[in-house]
Amino acid sequence: MDSSSVHEVVHEVVHSDSSALPAKHHDPDTTEPISCGLQTLEELLSWKRSDANLFNVAAVPLAPRDPPLTASARRTLVSHDMMGGYLDDRFTQGTHSDAPYAFYHWQYIDIFNYFTHNMVTIPPVVWTNAAHKHGVVVLGTFITEWTDGAVVCEAFLKDEESYRAVADRLVQISHCYGFDGWLINIENSLSESAVKNTPLFLQYLTEQMHERVPGSLVLWYDSVLEKGELKWQNELNESN
C-alpha cells in the first residue's frame, strides 16, 4: 500500500439509555448496581416484579444437604446483623474493598439470615449465591419496631385481606430474588386484634412460601407475648 492510499474513517454513534430502576438501586458515587431494601408498608404493597433489581437475583440454586434441613434435629442460624447492613456486600457485582466481611465455615451453618433495620430486607445476591453453593438456606427480614412499627402492624394485621396482601408481596419478593424465606421480627407491642391475627398471618405466609419456594422457611422472633406485650423470652414457649 503506497502513500496515496485513502484511509476511511468510520464514525459510530452510541446511544445509552438510563436505567429504568430508581436511583436507590445504584451507588451514588460509582453508579454501580447495589442491593437495598424496602422502607415502608406502602412501598411493599405497591411492589411488583417489574420493580425488581435484576442484578440482585440469585444465580446459584440451593445445593442439596446431607442430611436435609428438615431431618436435622438441631439447626445453626447465623444472623448477619452488622452496622445496619448493606455495607461492602451491597455491591451486586463485587467490591473493591481490601477486607470486606466474609467467613469460611459454611459447613457448620444451616440457615443464614441477612438482617437490617429496613422494614423489608432483601439479602444481597453475593450472600445468597455463596450460601446456596454450600446448601445453606437464606432468609430475608421483615421487621417492625418502636412506635412506627406498631402503627404498621395495626395497619396490616387489622384483617385477613390486609395481612394476606403483605404475605403475598413477601412471597413474590422471595421467589423473584431467589432466596428461601423470611425472619418475621416484630419488636413492638400489638393490640388485641393485631395479636390475634398474627398467627394467621404467619400460617398463611408459611403455606404460600412452601407452595412457591420448595424448601423455604419462615421463622418467628420471640419478642411478643400472646396478649401483645413486648417482652423477649429468648425461647419459644407457651407465652409467645
Side-chain angles (χ1 to χ4, degrees):
M1 182 177 294
D2 58 33
S3 59
S4 63
S5 299
V6 177
H7 296 278
E8 182 180 0
V9 178
V10 178
H11 295 277
E12 181 180 3
V13 178
V14 177
H15 296 281
S16 178
D17 295 328
S18 60
S19 171
L21 290 172
K24 70 174 186 175
H25 292 289
H26 300 274
D27 181 68
D29 297 322
T30 66
T31 72
E32 293 182 18
I34 58 173
S35 306
C36 62
L38 306 178
Q39 304 292 340
T40 66
L41 186 60
E42 292 72 21
E43 193 176 2
L44 172 61
L45 292 173
S46 65
W47 187 92
K48 52 189 181 299
R49 203 173 186 89
S50 59
D51 296 331
N53 179 355
L54 298 181
F55 287 104
N56 201 43
V57 175
V60 179
L62 180 63
R65 291 178 71 95
D66 187 21
L69 187 63
T70 53
S72 299
R74 296 178 177 84
R75 304 176 183 182
T76 299
L77 178 147
V78 168
S79 186
H80 181 288
D81 182 4
M82 178 180 287
M83 300 171 61
Y86 295 131
L87 303 174
D88 292 323
D89 53 13
R90 73 186 185 278
F91 291 100
T92 60
Q93 296 177 315
T95 177
H96 299 293
S97 172
D98 293 331
Y101 174 74
F103 59 79
Y104 306 95
H105 50 273
W106 289 106
Q107 68 271 29
Y108 302 121
I109 296 169
D110 300 298
I111 304 162
F112 179 82
N113 164 236
Y114 195 82
F115 185 94
T116 76
H117 291 275
N118 292 262
M119 194 184 78
V120 176
T121 299
I122 299 169
V125 67
V126 291
W127 283 111
T128 304
N129 283 339
H132 279 183
K133 181 179 179 180
H134 296 277
V136 175
V137 168
V138 178
L139 305 183
T141 304
F142 175 80
I143 183 173
T144 64
E145 47 189 347
W146 312 116
T147 304
D148 289 345
V151 173
V152 169
C153 287
E154 296 308 314
F156 88 88
L157 290 171
K158 62 183 180 181
D159 54 41
E160 182 177 4
E161 180 182 2
S162 299
Y163 71 67
R164 285 194 172 209
V166 166
D168 288 341
R169 289 296 182 274
L170 293 176
V171 172
Q172 291 165 8
I173 290 170
S174 176
H175 182 263
C176 175
Y177 282 107
F179 59 95
D180 311 295
W182 296 96
L183 169 68
I184 305 301
N185 185 179
I186 294 178
E187 290 193 76
N188 49 258
S189 59
L190 297 175
S191 67
E192 182 179 349
S193 60
V195 78
K196 182 178 68 174
N197 282 330
T198 299
L200 302 177
F201 162 65
L202 294 171
Q203 181 180 9
Y204 178 76
L205 174 61
T206 302
E207 290 170 351
Q208 296 303 305
M209 281 299 307
H210 288 338
E211 186 173 318
R212 292 292 299 278
V213 182
S216 60
L217 191 64
V218 173
L219 296 184
W220 164 253
Y221 187 61
D222 68 335
S223 55
V224 178
L225 303 188
E226 59 185 353
K227 293 186 177 180
E229 179 186 358
L230 180 66
K231 186 175 182 181
W232 293 266
Q233 301 292 289
N234 296 316
E235 65 178 2
L236 185 64
N237 58 33
E238 66 280 358
S239 296
N240 59 17

